[in-house]
Amino acid sequence: MRFNQKREEHRVTYKSGGRSTQVDYILCRRGNLKEISDCKVVVGESVARQHRMVVCRMTLMVCKKKRSEIEKKTKWWKLKKEECCEEFRQKLRQALGGQVVLPDDWETTAEVIRETGRKVLSVSSGRRKEDKETWWWNEEVQDSIQRKRLAKKKWDMDRTEENRQEYKELQRRVKREVSKAKQKAYDELYTSKLELLRIEMEGCSQVRRVYRGDGRNTLRS
């Protein structure tokens, strides 16, 4: 409270049995003092037994995280749909000048195929979703955590053995439910990744067959 002079009542953080003292602080580096505009004790509010809430007002600079560029990929798996496959076949033949037999220059042909795929099937956005540490949470986990927080607050206000046992039991229950929810979420993620890989492989196989003339002209990967 050196740089923000307050009344005695707004500096006392612990009060019990007629004794008052200042034992709770908010620490910061000296270089960040200019960012702090106020610091005081909220009278009547407590975060732990007989400890008052210390509030600090500061201004922080928020730096935006630079997104890493991700390669945009053609959605070849759309060739699994008959209408997309037919449209791709027609556009590809138009791009190749209506030829029934593929040109001998494979590099040029491959580039035409890729460009047609980007136009007909579209490409991914190239954006990466922000990963959240709690993306696997479900309603059961959230309810358990909320009950644990309430039990912790109850134990802080009244430190009886009964409240302590209730809090410890809820703490163990939350750990079990978190472990189960996380395992289930990762299993589902693994299954979905395998399914996506299978669809992509089928899409690549479909590309090889999509421009077939008399049965001999098949695209090679």
Side-chain angles (χ1 to χ4, degrees):
M1 307 288 182
R2 178 181 176 183
F3 299 97
N4 298 279
Q5 297 298 327
K6 298 292 181 181
R7 293 181 300 174
E8 181 71 19
E9 190 66 18
H10 286 167
R11 290 189 286 121
V12 174
T13 62
Y14 180 84
K15 191 172 185 180
S16 176
R19 296 183 179 181
S20 301
T21 183
Q22 183 179 354
V23 295
D24 300 310
Y25 300 90
I26 295 178
L27 303 180
C28 73
R29 294 185 176 91
R30 180 169 294 275
N32 300 118
L33 287 177
K34 60 182 179 180
E35 300 171 353
I36 299 176
S37 59
D38 191 17
C39 186
K40 66 179 181 179
V41 173
V42 179
V43 181
E45 296 291 337
S46 61
V47 293
R49 192 176 183 182
Q50 299 173 334
H51 284 263
R52 295 177 176 179
M53 181 184 298
V54 182
V55 178
C56 180
R57 181 179 297 174
M58 61 185 69
T59 303
L60 301 177
M61 295 294 295
V62 179
C63 299
K64 292 185 177 180
K65 185 178 179 180
K66 186 177 180 181
R67 293 182 178 179
S68 57
E69 296 183 359
I70 303 177
E71 181 184 359
K72 296 183 179 181
K73 298 182 179 180
T74 305
K75 300 178 181 179
W76 294 110
W77 56 86
K78 284 188 175 182
L79 289 174
K80 191 176 181 181
K81 299 179 180 179
E82 184 61 31
E83 58 272 16
C84 292
C85 182
E86 182 62 28
E87 182 182 0
F88 177 76
R89 182 185 292 111
Q90 294 177 2
K91 295 292 184 181
L92 181 58
R93 286 182 176 175
Q94 291 177 7
L96 292 174
Q99 301 181 46
V100 177
V101 181
L102 292 177
D104 295 332
D105 186 359
W106 171 246
E107 292 185 1
T108 303
T109 304
E111 181 60 32
V112 172
I113 293 173
R114 286 193 289 266
E115 184 63 26
T116 305
R118 286 191 287 266
K119 291 180 179 179
V120 177
L121 307 175
S122 71
V123 296
S124 60
S125 63
R127 297 178 181 177
R128 177 180 297 171
K129 294 183 179 179
E130 295 293 334
D131 296 331
K132 295 184 178 180
E133 186 179 356
T134 55
W135 61 270
W136 42 265
W137 278 23
N138 52 34
E139 294 183 0
E140 289 77 9
V141 173
Q142 293 180 10
D143 292 341
S144 297
I145 291 177
Q146 182 63 23
R147 289 195 298 269
K148 187 196 74 170
R149 289 174 178 172
L150 294 176
K152 178 64 166 60
K153 186 176 181 180
K154 182 179 178 181
W155 183 42
D156 288 337
M157 299 298 295
D158 187 10
R159 288 185 174 271
T160 62
E161 184 62 24
E162 181 181 357
N163 291 340
R164 177 180 177 276
Q165 291 298 331
E166 180 183 359
Y167 169 65
K168 292 298 182 182
E169 176 61 29
L170 288 174
Q171 196 175 34
R172 288 190 291 267
R173 185 181 303 175
V174 166
K175 288 183 179 180
R176 290 194 299 266
E177 293 186 0
V178 164
S179 178
K180 291 180 181 178
K182 186 181 292 188
Q183 184 62 42
K184 180 181 178 181
Y186 276 108
D187 289 343
E188 292 176 352
L189 179 63
Y190 179 72
T191 303
S192 63
K193 290 293 185 182
L194 287 179
E195 180 65 17
L196 181 59
L197 179 61
R198 184 186 65 81
I199 293 175
E200 289 182 349
M201 293 179 65
E202 290 181 358
C204 292
S205 299
Q206 189 72 11
V207 170
R208 298 188 186 100
R209 297 191 299 267
V210 74
Y211 196 87
R212 182 175 298 170
D214 56 356
R216 293 174 299 175
N217 298 311
T218 304
L219 295 182
R220 294 172 294 176
S221 57

